[in-house]
Amino acid sequence: MPELPEVETIKRGLAPLIIKKKIVQVEIDPHTQKSFQGEEANVVDVTVKDIRRRGKALLIDLDNDYTMMVHLRMTGQLIWRGAGVDLAPEEVNLPQKDAVAQDASKANFAAGHPSKNFTDALPNAQTRVSFTFDEGTLFFNDQRKFGFVKVIPTGEVEQEKFIAELAKEPWEMCTQELFSQCQRHKNAPIKAVLLDQKVIAGLGNIYADESLFYASVHPATKAGELTEAQVEMLLEGARSVMMASIDSGGSTMATYVKPDGSTGNYLENFAQVFRREGKPCLRCNETLQKTRVAGRGTHYCPKCQKAPEYFKDV
């Protein structure tokens, strides 16, 4: 599943291709009803007003006061093929962002779970929904069918269960708010608290590990044991590592790439602990370790992030 920086990167890359552009036709795979939820008529002959992000969901606002909520889940893809692009695989080239912004009809955009779909002719067997514009077509592909496009009145977006349950994102939250949540979940490992989207939105496994390292907090520490100063550092770390990832085009996890088809470089250039087990800590030179906390693979420095007495490594 994409983390917030990857979804933000997709939003920024998709915006110049579809904003102020009219959807003239929609084709839905009849065998995957969950992939498109809502009335098809509400997304035909309408113009895209804006594209927003809420947590890990994309919100595409239309000029008829409806919104398409898109969640890619594990294997979803958004692929744009400009009207002037030859769809033969050997002819496809993925342009840089500036070229994308200049002419949508000649652009080829690929974002999401990488596969040969990025360069193959479309639609294909994994295409769940196709949105045809005058300038090109936006394909929603999803191999495992967990993702979805849901059409709802724009005024009801915030009442959608998925959206309504989301907490504030790191840059919207103050230290006292997160500290109060830590006290509320005082016996839970702090990593579990950070991964709870009802506590703080947008932090996934990568950025939770990186935020905890930034604050020198061991992932298994009970949330209620943290001081307000430690929580402040955690929040500062979350903002810092996520903005660095957004600026670099997202992580290079095997499942997500940048909008132009190239990979982001966060893990290579910025990650301090994630997927660096066995390597020296960039702060103290101690060997980084990997364990499991809150049911997730967890990376940490045993020297910089002192383990609580009750922690038992696995």
Side-chain angles (χ1 to χ4, degrees), residues 15 31 34 42 45 50 57 75-76 93 99 114 134 145 160-161 186 190 220 245 250 255 261 274 295 304-305 310:
H31 304 295
K34 291 183 179 180
N42 290 329
D45 290 327
D50 196 11
T75 60
N93 292 304
D134 288 333
K145 306 177 186 178
E160 273 292 305
K161 187 174 186 294
K186 62 182 181 179
I190 183 57
S245 184
T255 52
F274 192 82
C304 294
Q305 297 166 272
Y310 46 79

Side-chain angles (χ1 to χ4, degrees), residues 3 8 12 58 144 155 167 277 289 291:
E3 297 202 32
E8 177 67 20
R12 294 183 183 188
L58 288 173
R144 298 186 66 179
E277 66 272 20
Q289 297 183 12
T291 186

Side-chain angles (χ1 to χ4, degrees), residues 148-165:
F148 61 85
V149 177
K150 185 172 184 178
V151 183
I152 51 179
T154 302
E156 297 178 11
V157 167
E158 294 301 322
Q159 284 72 54
E160 273 292 305
K161 187 174 186 294
F162 176 81
I163 301 294
E165 291 182 346

Side-chain angles (χ1 to χ4, degrees), residues 106-119:
K106 297 179 181 178
N108 191 37
F109 169 107
H113 184 77
S115 73
K116 64 181 182 179
N117 289 329
F118 283 173
T119 53

Side-chain angles (χ1 to χ4, degrees), residues 63-116:
D63 67 354
N64 62 347
D65 294 325
Y66 278 85
T67 293
M68 294 193 293
M69 182 169 70
V70 183
H71 204 307
L72 299 180
R73 297 292 186 186
M74 295 179 67
T75 60
Q77 301 171 318
L78 288 171
I79 305 172
W80 172 271
R81 293 286 167 76
V85 175
D86 187 338
L87 298 189
E90 65 274 11
E91 299 292 333
V92 170
N93 292 304
L94 297 175
Q96 296 301 311
K97 183 166 60 176
D98 289 345
V100 171
Q102 288 172 9
D103 190 348
S105 68
K106 297 179 181 178
N108 191 37
F109 169 107
H113 184 77
S115 73
K116 64 181 182 179

